[in-house]
C-alpha cells in the first residue's frame, strides 16, 4: 500500500488544474496498472496451500486491500479519464499522443480490459480523425475491433456488429499500404483479414458466406506484388495470410464443432479444398504427422462421411495422429493450444460416435477425451487476457457432443460443476452460499408451509407436485446453476479493482439469458432454465432482468422466488469477495427483505424468515459467523479439484 500513501492528497492538489497534464496521464496509468497487478496477485495467494487461520487471514487482507484499491481506482478514473469523454479540451495534443501510447501498451500486452480500452478509444478517435492521422486511426480501429471481438465472447450482441465495423474500417485502408511508414500498420490489414475470416464465424460475428468472400479476396491479394513486397520486411504478413488461407481450407472440421451453419455449396467447396491441400502437404512432407492438424482432421472426416474409408478407420488414424501430435504441441502458440485441446477432442468424440466399437470401449475413450479437455482448461496459469480461455470453456462445457457421452443427469451435473461452477473462486463461493441458503430456507418452508414451495409435475412423472425431498433435490443444483451464465463473463467480473462501467454492467445483465442458453443445450438441464432466467426478476414482475421473461407466469415461480431471496441475501452480507461495496449486517438485510415483501420479494417466504426463530438463527450463522468456515471448506474443495485435474 506504500504507493497509495498520499494518494488522495495528490488528487486534491491537482483538482484545481484546468488541463489534465502529461504527468497526470502517466500517474493515472502507472497507478492504475500497479493496482490491477496487485489485485490480480491476490487470486494466486488465495490458491496457495495454507492452514485455516492463515488462509482466512489472507482472505480478510485481500478483501480490505481490494476494496481500498477499487475505491482509489475509481477516483483515478473519475479524476483523469472520464472527464475527457465530455471535455476533449482538457487534454493537449501532446497529451493525446501520450494517451495513445498507453493505449498501444494495453493492446500489445496481456493486460486487457476491452471495455476500458473502448472508453479510451472513444476519447482518442475524434482527435485523430480531425488530424486525418491515418496510421494512428488504423491502430485505433484495429484495437477497437479486437476489443469488441473479445467482448463478443461474452455473448454481448452489439459487440458483434462493432467488431465487423472496425475491422472493415481497417480493410478500407488496404490500397494505401505502400504509403504506411510503420510496419505495424501494414500488419493491421492482415490481422483484420485473419480475424474476420478465421475467428469471427465461430463467434457468431460473421456469417460463413461473408468470411468465404473475404477469403477469396485475401487469396487474390497474395498474388499481387503490391502486397507481397513486404514479406521480407514484414514477416508477420505472410504468416497471417498463409494461416488465414490454409486454416480456412480446413474449416469443415471446425464448422461442426463450432456449430456454424454453412450453405451446401460452401461446404462442398471447403471439402474439395481440404482434399487438394492435404494431398499437396502430404506430398511435400511425406508424413501425415507433418501436416496441419485441422487439415488432417477435416480430410479424414470427409473421407469417412463420403464412405471412402470407414468411421472406424478414420477414428484410428485421427486418434493415433492426435496422440503423436501431443508430444510436440506444446511448442505452438497459446490460441492453437486451446483449439488443440478443445476443438480436436470434440472432433474425435464426433468421429468415435459414428463407429460400431463396443460401448464399453467408447465410454472409456470418451472419458480420456474429456479428461484431456478439462485438464488443459483448468490448469492454465492465471492470465491477464482470459477472454479466449473462457470462450474455450463455453465451447465445451455445454456442447451436445460432450454431454452426449454421459450416461445420466448426475454425471452431466458433476461435469458442469467441476468445469464451470468451480472454475473461479469468488463466483464458486457465491453459488455455494446461495445453495446453502436455499437448502436452509427450503427445509423450513417445506416443514411449515409446503404449499409455498412447489415444483411442477413435469419434474417427476406421476405426481401433482414433487415431494419435499425431491423439491430439495431440485433447489440445490438450481441454486448452484443460477449464475452459470457468468461463465463467459469472468474476465469482466475480475475487473473488481474498479467499478464496472455502464457497458460492462449491461453485459453482466445478460447472464440470466446466457445461463438459459447454456442450459437449453441438453434436455436434462431444461428444468433449471427458469431459475437461471428469473433469479434477478422482482416478485411482482415489474423490475429486474431480463424483461422478456415473465417470472410471475412460470410454473417454477416458487423456486425462482426462493433463489432470488437467497441471491440477494448472500450478495448483501458478503464481506469477503465483493470489492465494490461493504457488507451489511444480517438484521439490516432482513429489514430490507421485509420492506420489499410483496414487490421485490415473495411476501409469504419473507414472513417465514421473519417468524421462524430457528431459521433466523440458522441464516444469521450462515451469513455471519459460519461464512468463513464455509469459505475455507470451499477453498479446500477448489484446491483439491484443481489438484485432481493436474
Amino acid at each position: 500500500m506504500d504507493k497509495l500513501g498520499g494518494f488522495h492528497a495528490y488528487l486534491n492538489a491537482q483538482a484545481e488544474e484546468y488541463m489534465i497534464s502529461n504527468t497526470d496521464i502517466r500517474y493515472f496509468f502507472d497507478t492504475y496498472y500497479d493496482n490491477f497487478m496487485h489485485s490480480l496477485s491476490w487470486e494466486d495467494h488465495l490458491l496457495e496451500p495454507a492452514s485455516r487461520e492463515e488462509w482466512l487471514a489472507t482472505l480478510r487482507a485481500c478483501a480490505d486491500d481490494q476494496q481500498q484499491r477499487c475505491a482509489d481506482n475509481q477516483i483515478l478514473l473519475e479524476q483523469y479519464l472520464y472527464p475527457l469523454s465530455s471535455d476533449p479540451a482538457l487534454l493537449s495534443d501532446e497529451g493525446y499522443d501520450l494517451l495513445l501510447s498507453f493505449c498501444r501498451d494495453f493492446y500489445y500486452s496481456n493486460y486487457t480490459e476491452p471495455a476500458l480500452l473502448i472508453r479510451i478509444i472513444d476519447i482518442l478517435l475524434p482527435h485523430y480523425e480531425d488530424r486525418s492521422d491515418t496510421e494512428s486511426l488504423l491502430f485505433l480501429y484495429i484495437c477497437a475491433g479486437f476489443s469488441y471481438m473479445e467482448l463478443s465472447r461474452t455473448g454481448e450482441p452489439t459487440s458483434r456488429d462493432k467488431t465487423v465495423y472496425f475491422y472493415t474500417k481497417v480493410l478500407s485502408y488496404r490500397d494505401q499500404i505502400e504509403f504506411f511508414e510503420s510496419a505495424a500498420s501494414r500488419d493491421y490489414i492482415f490481422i483484420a483479414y485473419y480475424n474476420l475470416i478465421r475467428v469471427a464465424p465461430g463467434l457468431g460475428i460473421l456469417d460463413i458466406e461473408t468470411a468465404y468472400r473475404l477469403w477469396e479476396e485475401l487469396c487474390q491479394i497474395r498474388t499481387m506484388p503490391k502486397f507481397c513486397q513486404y514479406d521480407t520486411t514484414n514477416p508477420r504478413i505472410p504468416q497471417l495470410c498463409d494461416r488465414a488461407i490454409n486454416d480456412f481450407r480446413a474449416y469443415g472440421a471446425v464448422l461442426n464443432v463450432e456449430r456454424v451453419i454453412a450453405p451446401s455449396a460452401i461446404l462442398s467447396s471447403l471439402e474439395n479444398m481440404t482434399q487438394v491441400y492435404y494431398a499437396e502437404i502430404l506430398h511435400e512432407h511425406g508424413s501425415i504427422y507433418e501436416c496441419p492438424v485441422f487439415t488432417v482432421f477435416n480430410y479424414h472426416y470427409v473421407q469417412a462421411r463420403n464412405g471412402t474409408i470407414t468411421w472406424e478407420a478414420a477414428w484410428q488414424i485421427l486418434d493415433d495422429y492426435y496422440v503423436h501430435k501431443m508430444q510436440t504441441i506444446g511448442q505452438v502458440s497459446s490460441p492453437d493450444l486451446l483449439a488443440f485441446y478443445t476443438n480436436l477432442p470434440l472432433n474425435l468424440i464426433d468421429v468415435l460416435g459414428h463407429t460400431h466399437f463396443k460401448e464399453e470401449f467408447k465410454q472409456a475413450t470418451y472419458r480420456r477425451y474429456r479428461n484431456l479437455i478439462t485438464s488443459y482448461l483448468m490448469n492454465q496459469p492465471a492470465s491477464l487476457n482470459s477472454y479466449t480461455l473462457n470462450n474455450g470453456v463455453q465451447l465445451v462445457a455445454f456442447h451436445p457432443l460432450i454431454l452426449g457421452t454421459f450416461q445420466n443427469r448426475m454425471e452431466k451435473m458433476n461435469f458442469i460443476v467441476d468445469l464451470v461452477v468451480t472454475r473461479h473462486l469468488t463466483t464458486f463461493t457465491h453459488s455455494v452460499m446461495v445453495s446453502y441458503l436455499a437448502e436452509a430456507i427450503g427445509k423450513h418452508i417445506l416443514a411449515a408451509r409446503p404449499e409455498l414451495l412447489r415444483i411442477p409435475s413435469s419434474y417427476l412423472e406421476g405426481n401433482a407436485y414433487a415431494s419435499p425431498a425431491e423439491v430439495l433435490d431440485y433447489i440445490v443444483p438450481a441454486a448452484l446453476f443460477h449464475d452459470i451464465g457468468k461463465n463467459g463473463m469472468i474476465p469482466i467480473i475480475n475487473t473488481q479493482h474498479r467499478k464496472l462501467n455502464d457497458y460492462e454492467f449491461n453485459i453482466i445483465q445478460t447472464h440470466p439469458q446466457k445461463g438459459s442458453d447454456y442450459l437449453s443445450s441438453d434436455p436434462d438441464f431444461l428444468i433449471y432454465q427458469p431459475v437461471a432466467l428469473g433469479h434477478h426478476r422482482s416478485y411482482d414482475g415489474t423490475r429486474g432482468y431480463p424483461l422478456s421473461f415473465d417470472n410471475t407466469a412460470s410454473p417454477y415461480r416458487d423456486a425462482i422466488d426462493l433463489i432470488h431471496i437467497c441471491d440477494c441475501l448472500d450478495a448483501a452480507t458478503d464481506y469477503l469477495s465483493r470489492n465494490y461495496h461493504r457488507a451489511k449486517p444480517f438484521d439490516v438485510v432482513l429489514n430490507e427483505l421485509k420492506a420489499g415483501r410483496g414487490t421485490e420479494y415473495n411476501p409469504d417466504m419473507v414472513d417465514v424468515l421473519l417468524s421462524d426463530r430457528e431459521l433466523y438463527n440458522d441464516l444469521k450463522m450462515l451469513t455471519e459467523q459460519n461464512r468463513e468456515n464455509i469459505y475455507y471448506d470451499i477453498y479446500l474443495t477448489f484446491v483439491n479439484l484443481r489438484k485432481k485435474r493436474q
Side-chain angles (χ1 to χ4, degrees), residues 628-641:
E628 292 186 355
N629 294 326
I630 294 170
Y631 274 23
Y632 185 65
D633 288 342
I634 293 169
Y635 153 77
L636 292 176
T637 301
F638 191 91
V639 170
N640 288 333
L641 280 169

Side-chain angles (χ1 to χ4, degrees), residues 428-641:
F428 182 32
T429 53
H430 172 63
S431 295
V432 171
M433 282 297 298
V434 172
S435 71
Y436 271 117
L437 293 168
E439 184 177 29
I441 298 172
K443 284 179 178 178
H444 282 267
I445 289 175
L446 290 168
R449 297 189 61 185
E451 74 279 4
L452 298 183
L453 193 52
R454 300 177 296 189
I455 56 176
S457 58
S458 59
Y459 177 57
L460 293 167
E461 298 293 336
N463 296 324
Y465 294 105
S467 69
E470 291 158 345
V471 170
L472 287 176
D473 284 343
Y474 171 81
I475 286 170
V476 172
L480 277 174
F481 284 176
H482 81 283
D483 266 348
I484 199 76
K486 287 184 177 177
N487 170 52
M489 302 169 189
I490 288 172
I492 293 177
I493 296 169
N494 277 347
T495 61
Q496 286 195 30
H497 53 279
R498 61 172 171 80
K499 289 182 180 178
L500 297 180
N501 60 38
D502 290 344
Y503 185 69
E504 289 167 315
F505 188 67
N506 288 336
I507 292 176
I508 290 292
Q509 286 191 326
T510 67
H511 80 267
Q513 183 60 58
K514 191 70 174 176
S516 176
D517 294 342
Y518 286 152
L519 296 169
S520 69
S521 62
D522 189 276
D524 282 334
F525 294 135
L526 292 176
I527 56 173
Y528 305 120
Q529 270 187 298
V531 169
L533 267 175
H535 69 277
H536 278 288
R537 299 285 281 134
S538 65
Y539 168 76
D540 62 9
T542 62
R543 293 173 306 284
Y545 52 89
L547 291 173
S548 58
F549 177 67
D550 184 3
N551 56 305
T552 65
S554 172
Y556 289 86
R557 182 181 185 179
D558 293 349
I560 295 170
D561 290 345
L562 172 62
I563 292 174
H564 177 54
I565 288 173
C566 297
D567 187 38
C568 295
L569 181 56
D570 179 61
T573 57
D574 180 8
Y575 57 93
L576 293 171
S577 63
R578 293 177 184 260
N579 307 335
Y580 47 83
H581 75 71
R582 295 286 178 179
K584 299 175 182 177
F586 175 74
D587 290 316
V588 171
V589 179
L590 203 62
N591 285 331
E592 290 178 355
L593 293 176
K594 181 179 178 181
R597 66 179 300 282
T599 53
E600 186 66 30
Y601 307 108
N602 183 305
D604 297 313
M605 290 183 180
V606 171
D607 288 345
V608 172
L609 267 66
L610 294 171
S611 61
D612 189 324
R613 195 65 190 176
E614 183 181 354
L615 176 58
Y616 169 89
N617 291 332
D618 288 347
L619 296 179
K620 189 175 179 65
M621 179 69 69
L622 276 172
T623 58
E624 294 184 348
Q625 297 97 318
N626 207 30
R627 181 182 286 274
E628 292 186 355
N629 294 326
I630 294 170
Y631 274 23
Y632 185 65
D633 288 342
I634 293 169
Y635 153 77
L636 292 176
T637 301
F638 191 91
V639 170
N640 288 333
L641 280 169

Side-chain angles (χ1 to χ4, degrees), residues 373-385:
I373 293 171
T374 55
S375 177
Y376 175 77
L377 289 173
M378 303 313 299
N379 286 291
Q380 294 308 297
S383 172
L384 302 184
N385 180 10

Side-chain angles (χ1 to χ4, degrees), residues 142-153:
I142 201 74
C143 188
F146 167 78
S147 299
Y148 279 115
M149 184 175 71
E150 292 292 88
L151 289 168
S152 76
R153 297 178 190 274

Side-chain angles (χ1 to χ4, degrees), residues 123-144:
I123 292 168
L124 292 171
L125 270 176
H127 176 77
Y128 289 99
E129 285 171 345
D130 287 344
R131 291 170 56 175
S132 300
D133 186 338
T134 298
E135 295 195 54
S136 294
L137 288 173
L138 262 177
F139 165 73
L140 292 171
Y141 295 150
I142 201 74
C143 188

Side-chain angles (χ1 to χ4, degrees), residues 167-182:
Y167 277 144
T168 302
K169 292 280 283 186
V170 174
L171 295 185
S172 70
Y173 288 89
R174 183 190 68 189
D175 293 330
Q176 300 179 36
I177 192 168
E178 67 265 38
F179 301 112
F180 300 158
E181 295 181 5
S182 166

